[in-house]
Amino acid sequence: MISTKLLPLKSLNYNMKQFSLIFFQLLLFISIAFNAQGQAPNKFSYQAVIRDNKNNLIIDKGISMRISIVAGNQSGITVYQETHSAKTNANGLVSMIIGSGTVVSRKNT
C-alpha cells in the first residue's frame, strides 16, 4: 500500500508565497537586463592613424578633426557633428571619444 503524506494548508500557503516572490524577482531581473541592453551609448571610442597628402605619418603634432554622423549614405543628412583637438603619438595615432567633443550641430530625428 502506498502512503501519501498531505501537507498542511499553512505549509502550502507559505511555499506558494515563497515561489511567487522568487518568480517575481526573476521576472524583474530579466526585464531590467533586457532594458539595459536596449540603450544606445552616448559616447564611443575612435582611433585613427593620421597621414599627410604624401602618406607620411603626422607624428607628435596637434590636429583638429570634425566628426560627422550622417543618416542613410555618404550624401545623407548630417544628424550630428562635433570637433576635436588632439595630439598624435609617436606612431601617428590619435584617440578620441566621439560624443565628448565640441558640438557643431545636432538634429533630433
Side-chain angles (χ1 to χ4, degrees), residues 19-102:
F19 171 76
S20 295
L21 180 62
I22 291 170
F23 176 76
F24 286 116
Q25 287 175 341
L26 182 64
L27 188 64
L28 179 65
F29 174 75
I30 290 171
S31 67
I32 289 171
F34 279 118
N35 189 27
Q37 287 180 349
Q39 302 295 325
N42 291 329
K43 299 177 184 181
F44 59 92
S45 299
Y46 178 77
Q47 291 184 320
V49 175
I50 308 300
R51 297 179 180 268
D52 65 13
N53 57 355
K54 294 180 184 171
N55 211 24
N56 298 317
L57 291 173
I58 306 291
I59 298 170
D60 295 322
K61 301 275 184 181
I63 63 162
S64 293
M65 293 180 73
R66 181 175 56 202
I67 308 296
S68 299
I69 299 175
V70 296
N73 57 31
Q74 260 179 291
S75 58
I77 298 169
T78 301
V79 293
Y80 182 78
Q81 193 172 68
E82 69 181 25
T83 58
H84 286 266
S85 295
K87 185 176 180 184
T88 60
N89 67 10
N91 298 315
L93 182 73
V94 65
S95 299
M96 63 185 65
I97 306 289
I98 306 292
S100 66
T102 302

Side-chain angles (χ1 to χ4, degrees), residues 8-27:
L9 191 55
K10 274 187 166 183
S11 178
L12 283 175
N13 196 15
Y14 175 75
N15 288 338
M16 204 56 188
K17 285 181 183 179
Q18 190 177 20
F19 171 76
S20 295
L21 180 62
I22 291 170
F23 176 76
F24 286 116
Q25 287 175 341
L26 182 64
L27 188 64

